[in-house]
């Protein structure tokens, strides 16, 4: 039987380079974390926002969420917090700073999911490197990530996936994986969305 697929929108970062919460920026008429939440709901059995504890009061009752456990640095904090809550499911992980991500890219990832790999990750044709924050992480891969973090020098999820059994999926356009972390990148993404 296929492992259940849950969605996880990473929105617990501090957004220091952007200067305001990236999850609350509107590119598509709603806060980006809500936009991605709705996209993930179309392919996942359940979807959750990954948040810091102080963000809990901002959310309406229509959103499931998991509070980061603060055991790890960076994005793995949210991913492995979700894995701890539901260790037997696979997670479609999406970062909230991906304004050009669309439904077809997510559907392509799900269609090409390799249940035998540690993860199925999107990658640009240019770099051919896994994008861990546009990826489906399988339970076995997450178990290995927990073990890896006990001795790892780096908490970089990309490094973990590069050195693991990861299925790569290439979107039609590399720009779909563009992430906006600064005001300059926000302005660029906004012009692309408007086109």
């Amino acid at each position: 039987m296929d492992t259940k697929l849950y969605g996880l929108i990473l929105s617990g970062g501090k957004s220091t380079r952007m200067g305001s919460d990236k999850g609350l920026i509107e590119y598509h008429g709603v806060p980006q974390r809500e936009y991605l939440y709705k996209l993930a709901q179309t392919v996942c059995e359940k979807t959750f926002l990954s948040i810091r504890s102080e963000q809990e009061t901002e959310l309406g009752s229509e959103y499931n969420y998991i509070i980061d456990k603060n055991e790890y640095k960076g994005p793995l904090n949210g991913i492995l917090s979700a894995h701890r809550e539901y260790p037997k499911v696979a997670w479609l992980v999406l970062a909230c700073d991906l304004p050009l991500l669309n439904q077809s890219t997510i559907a392509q990832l799900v269609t090409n999911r390799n249940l035998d790999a540690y993860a199925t990750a999107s990658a640009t044709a240019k770099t051919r490197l896994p994008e861990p924050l546009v990826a489906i992480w399988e339970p076995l891969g997450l178990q290995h990530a927990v073990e890896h973090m006990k001795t790892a020098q780096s908490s970089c999820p990309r490094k973990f996936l590069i050195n693991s059994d990861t299925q790569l999926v290439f979107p039609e356009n590399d720009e779909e994986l563009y992430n906006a972390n600064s005001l300059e990148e926000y302005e660029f993404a906004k012009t692309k969305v408007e086109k």
Side-chain angles (χ1 to χ4, degrees):
M1 192 171 109
D2 287 358
T3 306
K4 288 180 180 177
L5 181 63
Y6 285 6
L8 186 69
I9 312 307
L10 296 176
S11 55
K14 297 277 179 112
S15 306
T16 48
R17 280 180 288 166
M18 183 66 79
S20 62
D21 190 333
K22 291 182 289 188
L24 299 179
I25 293 173
E26 294 187 13
Y27 295 98
H28 307 276
V30 295
Q32 183 64 6
R33 68 185 182 191
E34 294 174 25
Y35 174 76
L36 292 173
Y37 188 97
K38 287 178 172 54
L39 289 186
Q41 280 184 309
T42 65
V43 294
C44 297
E45 192 166 317
K46 278 187 177 180
T47 300
F48 297 82
L49 292 171
S50 167
I51 61 167
R52 300 184 314 276
S53 58
E54 61 266 28
Q55 293 173 295
E56 190 174 5
T57 55
E58 302 169 4
L59 299 178
S61 59
E62 70 270 33
Y63 296 102
N64 300 317
Y65 59 88
I66 294 172
I67 296 174
D68 294 346
K69 304 280 191 276
N70 297 321
E71 292 180 277
Y72 307 97
K73 290 184 178 176
L76 276 175
N77 189 38
I79 297 168
L80 295 180
S81 294
H83 174 62
R84 179 187 265 197
E85 291 280 323
Y86 298 93
K88 294 184 179 177
V89 306
W91 289 94
L92 168 65
V93 174
L94 303 174
C96 70
D97 58 4
L98 297 158
L100 306 180
L101 195 63
N102 59 43
Q103 187 66 54
S104 64
T105 306
I106 294 170
Q108 178 193 32
L109 195 60
V110 173
T111 300
N112 290 281
R113 178 184 174 192
N114 182 349
L115 282 87
D116 297 320
Y118 281 11
T120 302
S122 293
T124 64
K126 182 179 180 182
T127 67
R128 304 189 72 80
L129 293 172
E131 176 45 77
L133 310 185
V134 186
I136 296 171
W137 291 70
E138 300 297 337
L140 182 62
L142 290 164
Q143 288 167 23
H144 280 272
V146 170
E147 290 304 311
H148 167 78
M149 288 306 296
K150 289 177 181 175
T151 57
Q153 298 292 315
S154 166
S155 63
C156 176
R158 175 173 279 159
K159 285 182 182 172
F160 173 76
L161 290 185
I162 287 170
N163 295 303
S164 300
D165 179 11
T166 303
Q167 172 87 33
L168 297 182
V169 177
F170 300 94
E172 193 174 311
N173 186 333
D174 280 0
E175 277 187 350
E176 292 168 33
L177 301 183
Y178 180 81
N179 59 2
N181 288 304
S182 67
L183 286 172
E184 186 181 356
E185 291 166 347
Y186 160 77
E187 293 296 344
F188 172 80
K190 193 75 173 160
T191 60
K192 288 286 181 181
V193 170
E194 286 166 1
K195 283 180 186 175

